[in-house]
Amino acid sequence: MGQTILEMAGIKKSFSGIYALNGIDFTLSLGEVHALLGENGAGKSTLIKVLGGIYQPDAGKIKIDGKEVKITNVSSARNNGIGIIHQEIVLVPYLSVARNLFLGRELTTKFGTVDGAEMNRQASQMLSSLGVKIDANTLIEDLTIAQQQMIEIVKAVSFNGKIIVMDEPTSSLSNEEVEQLFEIIVRLKKKKVSIIYISHRMEELFRISDRVTVIRDGVYVGTRKTEETTANELVSMMVGRTLDNFYARDFANIEKSDVALEVKNLSGSNLFKDVSFSLHKGEILGFSGLVGAGRSEIMETIFGARPIQEGSIYLHGKEVHFKSPMEAIKAGIAMVPEDRKKQGLVLGNSVAFNMVLSSLDFCMNGIAISENKRKKIVDHYTEKLRLKAASPSISAGSLSGGNQQKVVLGKWLSTKPDVLILDEPTRGVDVNAKFEIYSVINEMAKSGIAIIMVSSELPEIINMCDNVCVVRAGRLVKKLSKNQLSQEEIMKYAAGGIGQNESEE
């Protein structure tokens, strides 16, 4: 590689005597995209917080441009040209783009008043320099998540940022928005800005990064040039073993099984129209499409969380009319929602509390909760899902993303559903946790549970599903069978390659 702009050597950081980082080495070259890879809990976030001045290391050195620096706080990191774009957007929603870019360093007139016109002018220049086509006067709350993320990038660069950290930047983006982000990354590289890129999506790392560093359990494992490694090698480095069959799916002849769920001409929320499909016992039916296509809204309507405008839903051949999710749960439908933190968990409550939240009926002894029954459910799904938690009494919010997702899965599996809807089941989850979740999904399908999997990750959809429904602009435009599945074929229909209003069955 070229000139080294950042060197972190022997970084150690402990909490309550337990090392989160134990001698981590990391280097970053000028104009390089260097991916940081590791399971949830491996120490990636801790390392970035040390670089960003949020944590102070117990040992180790940080050098920028060959000179040792002490990064004592966020301002110190910024003064050293370090900008961190966190997974959660931290912009002020009711202020304009320009006001957010200059927040805390507002320009003033010679009279001491805020110079809004000059801030707008300079903000427009900043946006234009990175090819971001957003009006500087626009309120942040009126922007999409992807656009907000781009404003975060512009803001980081505007502080003379020469080292930018991107933490899971594509986790909530559509394929088109990912392409826009990659275009900005290419522009940043041309400007000699160096990027630390954190993602669990292998296909992104191989496309955008120059090198990959893997850490495991707070320890440096190794660094590889991206062009000289493989996904299998990186996964092996991450988890300490080889995952022979990553997607862990046993395909069976589901066409011979009974139909568990049938949806006919379903319309709802003015967001989707005339959707029809059937789901067999033991089938995993994928739902693919761009973000905003209406996939989640269709699932929420089936689950009783949204009203039906037109159409019918049949469960085991009998028409059902769910007015609430509770009615759907009692009928045997469960749904793992897209946003586990907002919709799936009570983060401040314990793992055990969350695990039985949807299945309290199974825990009752008369009018009281039986601790023995409750413990039996928690213990069973903790073991089944290989949940890593120090104790069932710790808060769900303290777990890694992968383990939080396992708690959500356990919560719904404990209701013993006939139909399980999984909306982005592995979003923000590390490779090993993905493998474990895929294994559980496979076991559920083999046991006869009918599963709908909504996912933006095409490799997941292709390798886990029997059939795939492609949704575009609120309409189901194509159902693809297993032998028709490819990324190109799915995207052709998802992006409108057959004509914007044309539908194929």
Side-chain angles (χ1 to χ4, degrees), residues 340-341 344-355 374 387-408:
R340 60 177 168 265
K341 291 186 176 180
L345 295 169
V346 183
L347 292 171
N349 274 39
S350 70
V351 169
F353 173 91
N354 278 278
M355 194 84 84
R374 180 173 173 268
L387 178 65
K388 294 176 185 175
S391 161
S393 62
I394 67 169
S395 71
S398 68
L399 300 179
S400 67
N403 284 303
Q404 287 182 5
Q405 191 71 350
K406 289 178 183 180
V407 174
V408 180

Side-chain angles (χ1 to χ4, degrees), residues 447-459:
S447 72
I449 296 175
I451 298 170
I452 295 176
M453 178 186 283
V454 179
S455 177
S456 299
E457 293 195 31
L458 294 183

